[in-house]
């Protein structure tokens, strides 16, 4: 069983989320900087990071965020090593309305991606669906140096195909990190309650109509929930820090509120 860490105030996230992490590597002995000679060494280190994080079996999960009524969605999973340092960032997303959806993986070296992989169900301009497996490589400064990809009509067919050179397509992990840290368009301010059947949900999101929101099922009321429900209008838009758990029931995956507080 995977071990999830909540909230996301982790040493690993703090060190990997900073552009100045290279300046601090002498102070943080957990940070290991690799210098790659070629693509083969990068591929080998990707496999090493997968083994390290699978062995640690330690994850940091963002909230499940949605926007609008078209099915736009993002959820981010941080794969950590045994020292709780972020090594792989996994971004699950949907552009909604029948557009692209899939996963993006960011493999980190001293907090910066050295390899990214995109596994995307893509709908092109002719409304034809295609599955894309795209890998890009980056130098130590974060500049893209190579992109390769393979395409198939169905995901199940992709493993039988070879990668081919493709135009450079760099991607940024900034949005994924913002979601993991509940920042910017993913900020967790109080946006009210929703009552549906026998359940009630706490809604959090930024004070921005174009931002993402997230719903947490309320299985109990604590001091924060009592305070907010006592005067919703007064606390609307107030910054919250929330804890949550991920539950699965009959194949349905959902978030459950596990405590929180107002943030000054």
């Amino acid at each position: 069983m995977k071990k999830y860490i909540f909230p996301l105030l982790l040493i690993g996230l703090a060190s990997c989320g900073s552009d100045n992490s290279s300046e601090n590597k002498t102070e943080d002995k957990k940070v290991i900087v690799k210098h790659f000679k070629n693509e083969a060494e990068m591929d080998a280190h990707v496999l090493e990071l997968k083994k390290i994080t699978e062995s640690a079996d330690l994850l940091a999960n963002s909230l499940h965020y949605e926007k609008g009524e078209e099915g736009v969605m993002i959820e981010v999973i941080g794969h950590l090593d045994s020292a709780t340092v972020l090594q792989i960032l996994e971004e699950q997303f949907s552009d909604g309305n029948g557009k692209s959806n899939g996963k993006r993986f960011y493999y980190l070296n001293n907090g910066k991606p050295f390899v990214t992989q995109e596994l995307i169900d893509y709908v092109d301009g002719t409304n034809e669906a295609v599955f894309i497996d795209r890998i890009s490589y980056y130098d130590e400064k974060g500049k893209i140096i190579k992109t390769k990809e393979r395409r198939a009509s169905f995901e199940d067919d992709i493993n039988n195909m070879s990668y081919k050179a493709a135009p450079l397509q760099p991607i940024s992990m900034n949005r994924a990190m913002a979601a993991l840290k509940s920042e910017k368009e993913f900020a967790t301010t109080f946006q009210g309650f929703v009552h549906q059947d026998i359940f009630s949900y706490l809604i959090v999101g930024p004070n921005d109509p174009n931002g993402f929101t997230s719903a947490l099922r309320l299985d109990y009321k604590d001091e924060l929930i009592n305070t907010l429900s006592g005067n919703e209008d007064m606390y609307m838009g107030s910054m919250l820090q929330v804890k949550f758990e991920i539950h699965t029931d009959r194949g349905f995956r959902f978030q459950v509120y596990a405590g929180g507080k107002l943030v000054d």
Side-chain angles (χ1 to χ4, degrees):
M1 178 180 293
K2 293 288 184 182
K3 298 186 284 290
Y4 291 86
I5 293 182
F6 307 105
L8 299 175
L9 302 178
L10 302 170
I11 296 174
L13 293 183
S15 64
C16 290
S18 170
D19 290 336
N20 298 322
S21 57
S22 60
E23 299 175 3
N24 300 325
K25 63 177 178 291
T26 56
E27 300 176 7
D28 186 356
K29 297 184 183 302
K30 296 177 183 176
V31 176
I32 300 175
V33 183
K34 295 285 186 179
H35 300 280
F36 305 108
K37 295 179 181 178
N38 50 45
E39 178 182 329
E41 288 192 0
M42 293 183 179
D43 289 340
H45 193 54
V46 165
L47 294 177
E48 182 180 354
L49 291 183
K50 288 180 178 180
K51 291 179 181 179
I52 289 172
T53 54
E54 287 174 2
S55 176
D57 200 23
L58 195 59
L59 304 176
N61 217 100
S62 79
L63 288 163
H64 178 91
Y65 290 97
E66 297 182 355
K67 180 166 64 173
E69 299 180 354
E70 297 181 346
V72 177
M73 176 278 292
I74 179 174
E75 184 174 335
V76 178
I77 302 171
H79 298 257
L80 313 171
D81 63 18
S82 58
T84 68
V85 175
L86 179 63
Q87 300 290 357
I88 302 172
L89 197 63
E90 176 184 345
E91 176 186 359
Q92 302 176 359
F93 75 96
S94 173
D95 292 336
N97 202 26
K99 300 178 183 178
S100 301
N101 67 86
K103 298 180 181 181
R104 300 184 180 103
F105 293 89
Y106 306 83
Y107 297 93
L108 307 181
N109 179 35
N110 197 21
K112 296 179 181 179
F114 68 96
V115 171
T116 60
Q117 183 175 21
E118 301 170 85
L119 302 173
I120 302 174
D121 281 305
Y122 175 75
V123 178
D124 62 20
T126 63
N127 287 327
E128 290 293 327
V130 60
F131 183 79
I132 303 174
D133 177 359
R134 180 185 296 128
I135 298 177
S136 296
Y137 299 86
Y138 304 77
D139 64 17
E140 293 178 4
K141 295 182 179 180
K143 182 180 179 180
I144 191 168
I145 54 179
K146 180 180 179 179
T147 296
K148 63 183 182 181
E149 67 177 38
R150 52 188 182 180
R151 297 176 176 234
S153 298
F154 301 98
E155 182 177 357
D156 291 343
D157 299 331
I158 203 76
N159 291 328
N160 297 323
M161 307 184 70
S162 300
Y163 288 99
K164 297 181 180 180
L168 298 179
Q169 295 205 37
I171 57 175
S172 170
M173 71 174 190
N174 290 344
R175 188 179 79 148
M177 284 301 299
L180 194 59
K181 293 183 176 183
S182 298
E183 296 176 344
K184 300 177 181 178
E185 60 186 320
F186 306 101
T188 51
T189 67
F190 176 56
Q191 297 297 314
F193 296 99
V194 169
H195 307 285
Q196 185 177 23
D197 298 327
I198 62 173
F199 297 111
S200 295
Y201 297 84
L202 169 66
I203 308 300
V204 297
N207 292 316
D208 179 354
N210 294 317
F212 287 79
T213 60
S214 189
L216 296 91
R217 197 177 81 179
L218 298 175
D219 286 355
Y220 70 96
K221 289 186 177 182
D222 61 1
E223 181 178 354
L224 173 64
I225 300 304
N226 287 329
T227 298
L228 297 175
S229 59
N231 196 332
E232 290 189 41
D233 291 339
M234 183 177 78
Y235 290 104
M236 190 66 64
S238 298
M239 182 63 70
L240 305 179
Q241 183 181 97
V242 294
K243 299 178 183 179
F244 64 99
E245 298 173 349
I246 297 174
H247 291 198
T248 302
D249 183 17
R250 288 171 289 185
F252 179 66
R253 189 170 179 267
F254 56 94
Q255 301 170 148
V256 174
Y257 174 77
K261 65 180 181 179
L262 286 162
V263 178
D264 297 331

